[in-house]
Amino acid sequence: MRFLIVGAGRQAGACGAFLLEQFSDTTVCFVDREERCLHVAAGLQKESSRVSCEQLDVSSGGRELTKLMTECACVISCVPYFLNVPLTKAAINAGVSFCDMGGNVGTVREQLAMADACRSAGVSVVPDCGVAPGLLSVLAEYWQGEWKYESVKLYCGGLPQNPTGMLKYAMTFSVHGLLNEYLDDCEVSRGGEVEIVKGMSEVELISDLPVQGEFEAFATSGGASLGPHVYAPLGVDYSYKTIRYPGHRDMICAMWDVGFFDTDERELAISDRSVSWRPREIAAQIMTERLKSDGKDLIVARAEVKGRRGEEAVEGRVDLVDYAVDRFTAMERTTGFSTAITAAALANMYECRIAPGAYVPFQIMDSRLMMDELGRAGVTGFSVREL
């Protein structure tokens, strides 16, 4: 079974590692415009004999990309979100299923609107994979079919194990995706309606996570994915918050308040010439340079569900904690491995069969299968409790 992984960053490397190490008959082809990235992704693989690389700028599409797509069982996008719509269209036209790591609510809506085209082509498209919303939203379905859900609360944080500085944070994925999550409006389901809340709002303190210490959580965009829209008509409340060390949120809000994240173009006079610049682009570059990860991170996540089992009120939690191990960070393990599991399902490598269409992960993936497969790859920090 051949998989095409578009983008050759470290998340892609983790994705490829799962497919190669958990299945003996898979091959993986990495595609990236940067030879350096291809070299790194290939170097992360223990099964190098089943790896190939193609240096190609996928933003321009073209026959070469189409040919690569038609030769694989599933396309996995590990590139920035703004490339996912054209890649999705290319995969549908090539007659191959597609999944990606999400990153933008508007982009995901465009992809889900292609459901009819997917059915006509006999393929499936699944955006928003990865740890959140992908894996986390799947975990929240653990009691689906047994309970009548009344509320779902999702929490997730990618954190340095040894926080330093006033932000107490280190970059574990794209800064552009991070800023989208922080600054965009957030969708939640409340009282049967989808409501909009401001990014970074509704902060709360949490001290009972499976990691020692006190943390803060606040609303961010994208982590709920399609959940509010699916559950609002059922009268189920649904929300997502990001977890950070206390104080982080106030620092980011202060930067936001004074304009560090403005997107309007400015002119800066330097000697006898004028230079155009955007504050958010400069801020993103500085954050990437100054908040580099030491590779020792952790993922802590929780899916909290309340509902009824017959006449009985019930409540349950699925907690996850994972740490950097060997070649991969916790963010890479939980994001790359869980995306690979969804890709394997799309390639019919499990007993479940996914009908052609466009979905988000929690609509098609079984939570127990996801946990079992992650456990096979060493992600074992799950705790399931009825309270």
Side-chain angles (χ1 to χ4, degrees):
M1 196 73 70
R2 181 180 174 87
F3 291 86
L4 183 68
I5 301 181
V6 183
R10 290 188 59 89
Q11 310 279 15
C15 190
F18 181 93
L19 293 168
L20 292 167
E21 293 170 27
Q22 303 306 318
F23 301 101
S24 61
D25 60 346
T26 56
T27 61
V28 166
C29 177
F30 291 104
V31 178
D32 201 289
R33 67 181 182 181
E34 299 287 344
E35 184 178 2
R36 176 187 58 83
C37 293
L38 291 169
H39 179 75
V40 170
L44 289 169
Q45 308 309 316
K46 294 179 179 178
E47 306 291 335
S48 58
S49 63
R50 292 189 274 139
V51 176
S52 61
C53 296
E54 295 286 342
Q55 189 173 1
L56 179 66
D57 184 354
V58 300
S59 63
S60 57
R63 293 180 182 177
E64 191 172 356
L65 177 62
T66 300
K67 183 176 184 298
L68 289 170
M69 286 184 168
T70 57
E71 295 171 347
C72 71
C74 182
V75 177
I76 306 167
S77 173
C78 301
V79 295
Y81 71 88
F82 48 79
L83 292 174
N84 282 333
V85 167
L87 285 173
T88 302
K89 292 177 179 177
I92 294 171
N93 291 335
V96 61
S97 291
F98 175 94
C99 62
D100 67 47
M101 296 180 179
N104 180 268
V105 173
T107 296
V108 172
R109 284 177 177 163
E110 284 190 63
Q111 293 170 284
L112 296 178
M114 301 178 198
D116 288 343
C118 291
R119 286 187 281 269
S120 296
V123 302
S124 300
V125 165
V126 185
D128 259 358
C129 300
V131 62
L135 169 60
L136 186 55
S137 64
V138 172
L139 297 180
E141 298 297 299
Y142 188 88
W143 292 279
Q144 191 59 260
E146 302 174 26
W147 299 358
K148 181 180 179 182
Y149 281 20
E150 293 179 346
S151 76
V152 176
K153 293 182 179 180
L154 306 178
Y155 301 86
C156 185
L159 304 168
Q161 293 183 33
N162 304 299
T164 60
M166 296 186 72
L167 283 172
K168 302 175 185 176
Y169 184 71
M171 298 301 306
T172 55
F173 66 106
S174 165
V175 67
H176 302 290
L178 177 74
L179 292 178
N180 281 336
E181 292 179 7
Y182 281 178
L183 309 179
D184 289 353
D185 287 340
C186 316
E187 293 181 330
V188 300
S189 169
R190 286 179 180 157
E193 301 289 339
V194 176
E195 296 183 2
I196 302 298
V197 301
K198 189 175 178 61
M200 312 291 290
S201 67
E202 303 190 354
V203 64
E204 62 179 288
L205 296 178
I206 306 176
S207 58
D208 62 347
L209 293 169
V211 178
Q212 188 173 7
E214 185 175 65
F215 300 84
E216 64 183 20
F218 46 85
T220 51
S221 175
S225 189
L226 197 64
H229 292 272
V230 170
Y231 276 110
L234 304 176
V236 178
D237 292 348
Y238 199 101
S239 64
Y240 171 84
K241 290 184 177 182
T242 287
I243 297 169
R244 293 289 183 260
Y245 291 112
H248 177 89
R249 179 255 184 198
D250 287 348
M251 293 292 296
I252 294 292
C253 285
M255 295 169 67
W256 190 4
D257 186 54
V258 298
F260 278 85
F261 305 127
D262 289 354
T263 56
D264 55 309
E265 191 171 274
R266 312 285 180 86
E267 295 293 326
L268 177 65
I270 301 178
S271 298
D272 59 345
R273 62 191 179 94
S274 181
V275 178
S276 297
W277 65 290
R278 289 181 172 86
R280 183 160 170 173
E281 292 177 1
I282 303 300
Q285 182 174 339
I286 293 172
M287 290 173 72
T288 299
E289 293 174 356
R290 300 301 295 271
L291 297 176
K292 287 184 178 179
S293 173
D294 62 1
K296 298 178 180 179
D297 69 335
L298 66 92
I299 288 286
V300 60
R302 167 173 290 171
E304 181 177 290
V305 178
K306 293 182 180 180
R308 304 198 73 81
R309 181 169 46 204
E311 298 299 315
E312 177 191 9
V314 287
E315 180 178 352
R317 288 176 179 170
V318 182
D319 283 331
L320 167 64
V321 60
D322 191 59
Y323 296 87
V325 176
D326 189 22
R327 296 161 289 163
F328 299 114
T329 67
M331 180 64 74
E332 291 158 2
R333 284 158 53 85
T334 52
T335 298
F337 293 177
S338 60
T339 299
I341 293 167
T342 300
L346 292 175
N348 296 323
M349 300 183 76
Y350 301 119
E351 291 184 3
C352 59
R353 292 293 181 266
I354 299 169
Y359 314 92
V360 289
F362 78 82
Q363 294 178 299
I364 57 164
M365 296 300 297
D366 180 76
S367 58
R368 289 165 177 80
L369 170 66
M370 184 69 78
M371 286 190 284
D372 287 347
E373 286 298 284
L374 285 169
R376 237 177 13 121
V379 180
T380 57
F382 292 101
S383 171
V384 181
R385 293 180 296 159
E386 290 190 30
L387 304 176

